[in-house]
Amino acid sequence: MMNTISLAEFFPSHVWRRRAIGIAALWFFICLSWTAPAQLLVAILKPLAPALQLQDVDGGFWNGSAGQAFWQQDGKTIALGKTEWHINPWSLLWLHPSAHIATNYGEQFIDTRAQISPLGRVVLRDTSAAIPAQLIGNWLPLPAKGQLALKLARAEFSRQQLIAANGDIYWQQAQWQWGAHWLALGDYRCALHLENAETLHCALQGQGALTGNGDIAVDFNKRNWSADLKIKLEPSLPQEFRQTVTVMLAAKADPQGQLQVQRNGQW
């Protein structure tokens, strides 16, 4: 006679009980929140992201919008504009909540697919974003203008540490203040690649009155950086500006008039 083996021999009853309770509780939460208003998400986010402020909220928990969104931190307020979200309900079943998030505020926008793991890792996919370069002044006093844009296929963070990145950063219609004038520099692209989850490389390409090509590397573990670049300044730029850039970069000019820049440092 063939012996039969019950599933109970492999999985004790208390294991099944805990799993059944967990699945039932999760399903109850999904059913309860299916028709819940968007204000439920606002209440959940308030302790998790106190710097984020959502106003004029409309729609539901899973698919909703905010007429205005702000990020307030260190006494500074950054307007995010109209914000929309679409949460994937099934992502809660495997405890990896994911959502499509989009914000729009004039020339400033963010569009991304975000996912959070139980260990706190944040993964961003198909991310596009753009902000005016002047907004950098909230953190660094740089006299810069133009549009900063970001296009990432994937980026991953863990405990505020970057552990994966693949995409491009752009500085379009770049301008730099020189005295009372704004100098048009050009357009720049930085192709990002994170090597061994330690060193972030930026393959720089730029064209315009100030061209730049080469590699910039940042090692997060050793807290150092290095740059190996070739830069060329067109005669259309003021001579004093060209001389200042040459001295600041400690660069040497080759026979073609390109500046060879090889620098490194720590922080």
Side-chain angles (χ1 to χ4, degrees):
M1 181 180 294
M2 182 179 295
N3 295 326
T4 60
I5 301 176
S6 67
L7 290 176
E9 296 182 39
F10 288 99
F11 301 102
S13 60
H14 66 278
V15 174
W16 280 105
R17 194 180 303 113
R18 285 202 302 267
R19 290 184 178 179
I21 292 174
I23 294 174
L26 181 59
W27 184 251
F28 174 76
F29 170 76
I30 293 176
C31 293
L32 182 65
S33 60
W34 190 259
T35 58
Q39 286 292 349
L40 176 60
L41 181 63
V42 177
I44 293 175
L45 289 177
K46 189 172 183 179
L48 299 177
L52 179 63
Q53 305 294 322
L54 300 177
Q55 299 179 0
D56 301 328
V57 176
D58 191 20
F61 176 84
W62 303 101
N63 300 280
S65 65
Q68 292 291 335
F70 304 90
W71 188 269
Q72 297 177 327
Q73 191 171 16
D74 299 330
K76 298 181 177 66
T77 300
I78 299 175
L80 301 176
K82 181 178 175 62
T83 301
E84 298 180 347
W85 65 84
H86 303 279
I87 301 175
N88 179 6
W90 297 108
S91 65
L92 299 182
L93 291 178
W94 49 84
L95 302 179
H96 284 70
S98 64
H100 176 221
I101 303 169
T103 71
N104 193 304
Y105 186 65
E107 296 181 351
Q108 174 182 321
F109 72 89
I110 300 172
D111 191 295
T112 186
R113 298 184 181 275
Q115 182 184 77
I116 303 175
S117 77
L119 299 178
R121 287 193 175 187
V122 178
V123 179
L124 303 179
R125 291 185 174 88
D126 303 325
T127 300
S128 298
I131 62 170
Q134 295 92 311
L135 278 182
I136 296 180
N138 289 320
W139 298 276
L140 295 173
L142 294 177
K145 280 186 179 182
Q147 189 80 350
L148 294 176
L150 178 73
K151 192 164 183 141
L152 294 177
R154 183 173 180 272
E156 186 172 347
F157 305 85
S158 177
R159 297 180 181 178
Q160 298 182 343
Q161 179 181 356
L162 181 65
I163 58 178
N166 182 20
D168 300 306
I169 295 177
Y170 301 88
W171 184 12
Q172 299 169 326
Q173 299 178 350
Q175 297 182 54
W176 192 266
Q177 188 174 21
W178 181 253
H181 304 284
W182 286 93
L183 305 179
L185 301 182
D187 297 309
Y188 305 93
R189 171 177 175 259
C190 173
L192 296 176
H193 171 66
L194 187 62
E195 182 180 289
N196 300 324
E198 295 179 357
T199 306
L200 181 65
H201 287 273
C202 162
L204 179 65
Q205 293 180 336
Q207 58 183 0
L210 191 158
T211 62
N213 296 278
D215 181 73
I216 301 173
V218 180
D219 191 315
F220 295 105
N221 286 343
K222 297 179 181 178
R223 300 178 66 86
N224 61 32
W225 62 272
S226 63
D228 187 359
L229 305 171
K230 290 184 178 180
I231 293 176
K232 187 172 183 179
L233 301 163
E234 295 296 331
S236 59
L237 294 171
Q239 182 178 1
E240 291 184 357
F241 175 79
R242 287 182 280 139
Q243 291 175 342
T244 301
V245 172
T246 303
V247 172
M248 182 179 65
L249 297 178
K252 296 181 180 180
D254 63 12
Q256 287 74 38
Q258 292 190 117
L259 301 178
Q260 306 287 329
V261 180
Q262 292 183 326
R263 300 286 302 276
N264 60 74
Q266 294 183 323
W267 74 90

